[in-house]
Amino acid sequence: MVNNLSLYDTSLSGPLPNAKGSTETDVYTLSLTYDPTKVRPTQLVTGHFVLALRDENKQWRNAVDLNIGGTKKFVYGPWQREYGLGTHGVDPKTATVWAVVNQEGDFVAKSI
């Protein structure tokens, strides 16, 4: 079983006026659990197991790659409040994958 989440309509004002078709939202952290028996440890350590977001072509991509702004940074460990937009990681102790994002859509924990 794959843990996934569809997250839409998170903005009260709709898409930003200067971003045609944008799904940009406020910055937030999203975390999903995964089954550790179904993931190779090397995928976790190297950042190849991520919180993925479906792009406009219906392809799964690292969710932070679809952010508007921010700096991509991988962390092997738990999320911390000071992490900024683009930080993503995996916490093997809680079997969670997480990312600091500003997008809505279909999310899943998966290898990419």
Side-chain angles (χ1 to χ4, degrees):
M1 182 175 153
V2 174
N3 287 338
N4 59 29
L5 172 72
S6 292
L7 184 63
Y8 292 96
D9 297 326
T10 58
S11 173
L12 295 177
S13 60
L16 299 177
N18 294 330
K20 183 180 177 187
S22 172
T23 56
E24 184 178 4
T25 66
D26 289 334
V27 174
Y28 65 97
T29 301
L30 182 62
S31 175
L32 292 177
T33 59
Y34 63 88
D35 182 347
T37 66
K38 302 198 185 268
V39 182
R40 291 189 310 253
T42 56
Q43 292 174 316
L44 299 177
V45 177
T46 59
H48 289 101
F49 189 78
V50 299
L51 181 69
L53 174 62
R54 198 180 299 269
D55 68 14
E56 67 277 354
N57 297 316
K58 306 295 183 200
Q59 300 298 309
W60 291 110
R61 297 189 42 206
N62 186 329
V64 299
D65 289 339
L66 298 175
N67 281 340
I68 297 172
T71 302
K72 185 175 178 179
K73 176 183 175 188
F74 173 70
V75 174
Y76 183 70
W79 170 80
Q80 295 182 24
R81 180 176 297 278
E82 66 271 10
Y83 290 153
L85 180 63
T87 310
H88 66 104
V90 61
D91 184 355
K93 290 183 182 178
T94 59
T96 56
V97 62
W98 55 268
V100 183
V101 296
N102 64 353
Q103 294 291 304
E104 58 184 19
D106 298 319
F107 294 89
V108 67
K110 72 180 277 91
S111 295
I112 58 167

